[in-house]
Amino acid sequence: MTRTGTPDEAEILSYVPLVSNWGRWGEDDQHGTINHLGPEQRRRAASLVQDGVAVSCARPITTELAVDVRNPFIHYMTGSGEGFPVTHPEGPPEPMQGSGDFIGVAFHGYAITHLDSLCHIFWNGQMYNGRPAAMVTTREGATANAIDVLKDGVMGRGVLLDAARHRGVDWMEPGEGVMPDELSAMEEEQGVRVEQGDLLLVRTGHYRRRREVGPRPLPDGWPGLHASCIPWLHERSIAVLGGDTVSDAVPSGYPNLRQPIHQIALPHMGLWLIDNCNLEELAAACAERGRWEFQLTLAPLRVQYGTGSPVNPIAVL
């Protein structure tokens, strides 16, 4: 879908001072938009559970090589069961037996479901709340705005807006961006309103295409939100944004802003981003029930000095 009258890059850049949360919660703040999510919002989220049905919003992590996987997941066994034949199950135990494995992952990218912390993206040498990018070091990692500030996890009201469903397509195409008026239209269609502290998920159908047709080369791009959605996200005071791509529509149409959501909303708003979700099963579960709100839980790994973490977002309806 093409749009006329979309804002030019100068207008997109003008959003920066309007949406900035630097200093809003104090100069020492490292939580950014998670500050919108408090006990009241968590209690409300818990009350949304009706059927007790849990749905994962993560993609499976595999070691596959593909045109959209730049850094494959590493998995090898440190011990297996191949050397332990069945002997006498009813008899006395043999010496302790077991298996083990090693995993290694460079999770930032376009394949693994992960949560970006607020040190992940810099803006002219600064990260969220005006901290210098140099606080992320080669030796230690992120000495500020790291993922372990969310050591207690994130639980709140999840809202799914289904853009592919709204447009009447199986999936959107690369570079197609969801516009802010579409976000509002989806709210009306689905009977839900995005509010303070929400964990907003936007489905484009991109992962459905991958499963049914196959991976698309990264240079082709992918669908997502148009940059003009940034003020809308700020006005609604969401805590977290996630999608079945990396939220940004690419190509973005802007020469200096390849991924405007990442480049503006993350460092300036302090907006936490879940990249590369699988929203197919959740979309089906929501459509079946006619309910597009649910309890959503994130439990990032407590990685000291980490710039993010793989996550398995769990929706409970």
Side-chain angles (χ1 to χ4, degrees), residues 31-305:
H31 284 82
T33 54
I34 295 295
N35 285 289
H36 292 310
L37 177 56
E40 179 181 347
Q41 287 80 16
R42 296 187 188 97
R43 286 193 295 269
R44 179 188 180 191
S47 72
L48 294 174
V49 177
Q50 297 182 27
D51 300 330
V53 173
V55 182
S56 168
C57 298
R59 301 185 188 186
I61 299 177
T62 73
T63 57
E64 72 169 333
L65 291 170
V67 293
D68 60 349
V69 179
R70 286 180 173 167
N71 297 295
F73 182 75
I74 300 171
H75 180 211
Y76 63 80
M77 302 305 296
T78 59
S80 75
E82 296 160 305
F84 303 111
V86 176
T87 52
H88 38 63
E90 304 301 325
E94 300 282 351
M96 185 172 177
Q97 302 174 353
S99 63
D101 52 358
F102 169 89
I103 60 174
V105 56
F107 55 84
H108 289 298
Y110 309 97
I112 293 174
T113 307
H114 67 273
L115 181 65
D116 290 336
S117 66
L118 302 186
C119 64
H120 176 49
I121 298 294
F122 309 133
W123 180 273
N124 293 344
Q126 291 180 289
M127 54 181 162
Y128 171 68
N129 225 9
R131 294 186 174 90
M135 293 185 75
V136 181
T137 70
T138 304
R139 182 182 181 125
E140 291 183 288
T143 61
N145 292 347
I147 191 66
D148 59 345
V149 304
L150 299 186
K151 62 183 183 297
D152 297 320
V154 180
M155 191 279 281
R157 175 184 181 242
V159 174
L160 175 65
L161 296 182
D162 195 333
R165 180 177 182 268
H166 167 71
R167 293 190 177 193
V169 298
D170 290 335
W171 51 75
M172 293 166 55
E173 296 297 328
E176 289 189 340
V178 177
M179 307 299 288
D181 63 322
E182 290 184 283
L183 295 175
S184 299
M186 283 185 275
E187 288 181 312
E188 185 173 351
E189 288 173 5
Q190 298 176 199
V192 68
R193 180 178 172 81
V194 177
E195 298 177 356
Q196 177 185 333
D198 284 349
L199 285 68
L200 173 61
L201 304 175
V202 180
R203 175 181 175 269
T204 69
H206 186 71
Y207 188 59
R208 175 179 174 179
R209 183 200 180 281
R210 190 184 196 280
R211 295 205 300 197
E212 294 185 7
V213 180
R216 188 189 288 272
L218 290 176
D220 288 358
W222 49 84
L225 297 185
H226 189 271
S228 58
C229 291
I230 292 172
W232 192 98
L233 300 172
H234 179 68
E235 290 164 8
R236 295 304 179 90
S237 299
I238 63 172
V240 178
L241 172 66
D244 52 7
T245 64
V246 294
S247 289
D248 288 285
V250 174
S252 68
Y254 300 107
N256 298 302
L257 294 169
R258 182 175 184 269
Q259 294 183 206
I261 306 295
H262 273 70
Q263 291 174 265
I264 294 177
L266 193 155
H268 292 286
M269 286 174 58
L271 179 60
W272 296 78
L273 301 177
I274 317 171
D275 292 340
N276 312 316
C277 292
N278 164 22
L279 300 177
E280 297 308 304
E281 288 76 25
L282 178 60
C286 288
E288 178 184 351
R289 292 165 175 77
R291 289 190 283 116
W292 301 87
E293 59 177 355
F294 38 84
Q295 182 188 66
L296 187 64
T297 301
L298 306 173
L301 299 176
R302 193 171 174 176
V303 181
Q304 190 175 29
Y305 308 129

Side-chain angles (χ1 to χ4, degrees), residues 8-32:
D8 60 18
E9 187 170 85
E11 183 173 344
I12 300 299
L13 291 172
S14 75
Y15 298 160
V16 171
L18 302 177
V19 304
S20 175
N21 285 323
W22 290 11
R24 179 175 181 175
W25 295 289
E27 62 181 20
D28 294 329
D29 179 61
Q30 299 184 63
H31 284 82

